[in-house]
Amino acid sequence: MKRTQYSVARVEIISAHLQEVIHDLCLVDVADYIAFIRCELFGNIADIVNSATELTFYPNTLTFGLGGEYTLDWNSTPKVMLDLEFSNMGVNAYFRLTLSSDTTGIDLHHVRFSETGKTPADNTALLAAAFDNARLPQLTAPR
């Protein structure tokens, strides 16, 4: 997606909502991701993503997009790139999550709104509201 002030804000919204999921995804060994991608066992990655999202998002709001890549060579840290899809309240976001030991990143490919706002800022607010609405209520420990 072309980098604009709105796409930057939308990536920040997605990133803020995915922190717990990213943490859980990083608990899986990078060699497992590479093996699954290399052998095209994308169902295994979908199971991992579903497990990582089940305590944070309602079912089927954040899913694996059945695509992924990795970079692995002698001169750099391994990186795993997973295609993810978000869908809630008529908002669909398609993006790639990059995981490595050093950093994580989100490359937003496309956002679709079933009913668009009057301005791009309204659409960004719709994306934020859709992510807020998709999150499960967090349980707190009794005192």
Side-chain angles (χ1 to χ4, degrees):
M1 177 176 268
K2 188 174 180 177
R3 190 173 169 88
T4 66
Q5 68 185 40
Y6 301 107
S7 66
V8 170
R10 292 170 185 175
V11 166
E12 289 173 2
I13 290 166
I14 294 168
S15 179
H17 283 89
L18 291 185
Q19 291 307 308
E20 298 95 342
V21 173
I22 291 170
H23 177 267
D24 288 349
L25 290 173
C26 288
L27 295 174
V28 175
D29 191 31
V30 68
D32 292 335
Y33 284 120
I34 291 170
F36 295 150
I37 292 169
R38 187 172 177 92
C39 297
E40 296 183 6
L41 298 171
F42 294 117
N44 294 1
I45 298 173
D47 288 342
I48 293 169
V49 171
N50 287 341
S51 294
T53 61
E54 69 185 358
L55 295 176
T56 308
F57 291 98
Y58 285 105
N60 301 318
T61 54
L62 183 64
T63 57
F64 178 59
L66 298 179
E69 294 180 41
Y70 64 89
T71 57
L72 180 64
D73 59 44
W74 294 106
N75 301 317
S76 64
T77 304
K79 289 183 183 175
V80 173
M81 289 77 72
L82 304 175
D83 292 338
L84 299 176
E85 299 176 4
F86 172 80
S87 179
N88 189 41
M89 295 173 47
V91 177
N92 297 82
Y94 305 92
F95 56 94
R96 175 163 276 191
L97 175 64
T98 301
L99 303 171
S100 76
S101 64
D102 303 335
T103 61
T104 60
I106 293 175
D107 181 22
L108 182 60
H109 294 284
H110 181 70
V111 181
R112 185 178 63 81
F113 302 93
S114 62
E115 294 183 25
T116 60
K118 294 182 191 243
T119 66
D122 291 342
N123 291 338
T124 301
L126 285 171
L127 177 68
F131 264 98
D132 289 339
N133 180 267
R135 292 182 66 90
L136 291 168
Q138 298 299 309
L139 298 175
T140 57
R143 294 181 187 206

